[in-house]
Amino acid sequence: MNPLYKNLSTELENINIRPSIQRVAVLNYLINNFFHPTVDQIYKDLQSVIPTLSKTTIYNTLDLFVEAGLVKILTIEDNETRYDIITEPHGHFKCNECRTIFNFTLDLDSMESEELNGFKVIDKDVYFKGVCPKCLLNINSDFRKE
Amino acid sequence: MNPLYKNLSTELENINIRPSIQRVAVLNYLINNFFHPTVDQIYKDLQSVIPTLSKTTIYNTLDLFVEAGLVKILTIEDNETRYDIITEPHGHFKCNECRTIFNFTLDLDSMESEELNGFKVIDKDVYFKGVCPKCLLNINSDFRKE
DNA sequence: CTTCAATTTAACAATCATTACAAATACAAA
DNA sequence: TTTGTATTTGTAATGATTGTTAAATTGAAG
């Protein structure tokens, strides 16, 4: 077995998730693809690795990972659920043009409000939207052409 | 015509939206219901006012309002789109128990990151999740019963 | 290596929110 | 009133997600 996969296997075993081929593949995919993929992207890309793969399995696996606190659901856009391997807290920026989601570091701990005294805050999400540098260039050059 | 509705009509006319009965009703609903309703909630509540109302109209109207910058889509949860009348910038807290969404004031302008130099930031959203004071009480009393 | 029970996967059907579309209606200008 | 345009409605289509169930796989025990 690929030594990288071996590590992922033990990582899953440590949190009491049986390391099936599918689960290890999804975990490996998430670790190596920082672009916050949708279920469909994961499904399509992993089909070349596991031809019999079912979409339901992706959903089941991701649910399991979310439950275990390994993965976080991003709801930055209303029509597509995206998944994020949990590392340090960070903010997300989504480009309205190319739809890429970028991470950026942000001190979430310092974000507080007196109005939330008495509330138990479990989770904090910061979503920015706009246009990334690459697409800004394209938009400007399109404009020049007109 | 109700003088309140009259005001809403002119407000819509000012931004070049023809003030149909349905549109004014939706706007009125959003202004008087701060709980960030789903399409379904708006639809069900307004049926008593406009019996022939269609859900498509709610969608069309909200799309129009979003386009006009009157309303903002909240994507705090992945399976339900919620709508927010735009006032001053604020954060949102969603209670995982009762699913209510609370506003809280937050200085979004000061939230910046050097990593986003070169990015054009158009929109900022801050979503907190957890348990609201009321539900915290219920959870504690449930615990005592066991 | 076999057997058995439990877990996991895969395929398909069902659901639900949203969108697309066409016909009916309302509205404004002439 | 008539005509043309915008709006609403009802229904059908779409697409992501969930539910169900049987088959496949796994792991443990003998």
Side-chain angles (χ1 to χ4, degrees):
Chain A
M1 189 188 266
N2 183 321
L4 180 62
Y5 272 43
K6 184 102 185 297
N7 290 341
L8 296 182
S9 285
T10 45
E11 188 175 334
L12 287 179
E13 276 171 351
N14 289 342
I15 54 174
N16 288 317
I17 293 179
R18 215 191 266 184
S20 70
I21 294 174
Q22 292 85 345
R23 289 170 179 172
V24 173
V26 170
L27 182 59
N28 180 59
Y29 185 89
L30 288 175
I31 288 173
N32 290 294
N33 293 280
F34 288 99
F35 58 85
H36 312 85
T38 62
V39 168
D40 212 57
Q41 285 173 312
I42 302 172
Y43 174 62
K44 282 185 179 135
D45 287 348
L46 287 185
Q47 272 187 317
S48 55
V49 187
I50 309 168
T52 64
L53 189 64
S54 156
K55 216 174 198 176
T56 310
T57 301
I58 310 284
Y59 278 105
N60 289 340
T61 303
L62 289 171
D63 285 351
L64 203 65
F65 287 178
V66 168
E67 197 66 29
L70 205 61
V71 157
K72 205 163 131 46
I73 291 178
L74 298 190
T75 56
I76 195 167
E77 205 58 46
D78 53 324
N79 57 343
E80 50 184 15
T81 306
R82 288 167 174 270
Y83 292 84
D84 195 22
I85 273 277
I86 294 178
T87 52
E88 344 73 67
H90 57 270
H92 293 101
F93 177 97
K94 172 160 183 177
C95 176
N96 292 336
E97 301 298 320
C98 64
R99 328 217 91 202
T100 308
I101 295 178
F102 301 84
N103 289 342
F104 61 92
T105 50
L106 187 69
D107 183 13
L108 293 176
D109 289 334
S110 71
M111 282 177 43
E112 287 175 356
S113 167
E114 299 111 34
E115 294 171 37
L116 293 181
N117 286 341
F119 288 69
K120 183 179 178 188
V121 178
I122 296 171
D123 199 31
K124 295 177 177 180
D125 286 300
V126 174
Y127 298 137
F128 285 10
K129 286 172 199 167
V131 188
C132 74
K134 199 171 166 188
C135 290
L136 275 177
L137 278 176
N138 290 339
I139 289 173
N140 287 338
S141 62
D142 285 354
F143 185 69
R144 260 185 251 115
K145 280 185 208 142
E146 284 167 18
Chain B
M1 190 188 266
N2 183 320
L4 179 63
Y5 272 43
K6 184 102 186 296
N7 291 340
L8 297 182
S9 285
T10 46
E11 189 176 333
L12 287 179
E13 276 171 350
N14 289 342
I15 54 175
N16 289 317
I17 293 178
R18 212 192 269 184
S20 70
I21 293 175
Q22 291 85 346
R23 289 172 180 171
V24 173
V26 170
L27 181 59
N28 179 58
Y29 184 89
L30 288 175
I31 288 174
N32 289 294
N33 292 279
F34 288 99
F35 58 85
H36 313 85
T38 62
V39 169
D40 211 57
Q41 284 172 315
I42 302 172
Y43 174 61
K44 283 188 177 132
D45 287 347
L46 286 185
Q47 271 187 318
S48 55
V49 186
I50 308 170
T52 64
L53 189 64
S54 157
K55 217 172 196 176
T56 309
T57 301
I58 309 284
Y59 278 106
N60 288 341
T61 303
L62 290 171
D63 285 351
L64 202 64
F65 287 177
V66 168
E67 197 66 30
L70 205 61
V71 157
K72 205 163 131 47
I73 291 178
L74 299 189
T75 56
I76 196 169
E77 204 59 46
D78 54 322
N79 57 343
E80 54 184 12
T81 306
R82 287 167 175 268
Y83 293 85
D84 195 22
I85 274 277
I86 294 179
T87 51
E88 344 73 68
H90 56 269
H92 292 101
F93 176 97
K94 172 159 182 176
C95 176
N96 291 336
E97 301 298 320
C98 65
R99 327 216 92 203
T100 308
I101 295 178
F102 301 85
N103 290 341
F104 61 90
T105 51
L106 188 70
D107 183 13
L108 294 176
D109 290 334
S110 70
M111 282 178 43
E112 286 174 357
S113 167
E114 300 110 34
E115 294 170 37
L116 293 181
N117 286 342
F119 288 68
K120 182 178 177 189
V121 178
I122 296 172
D123 199 30
K124 295 177 177 180
D125 286 299
V126 174
Y127 298 136
F128 285 9
K129 287 172 199 166
V131 187
C132 74
K134 201 172 166 187
C135 289
L136 274 176
L137 277 177
N138 291 339
I139 290 171
N140 287 339
S141 62
D142 285 353
F143 185 70
R144 259 185 251 116
K145 278 185 212 144
E146 283 165 19

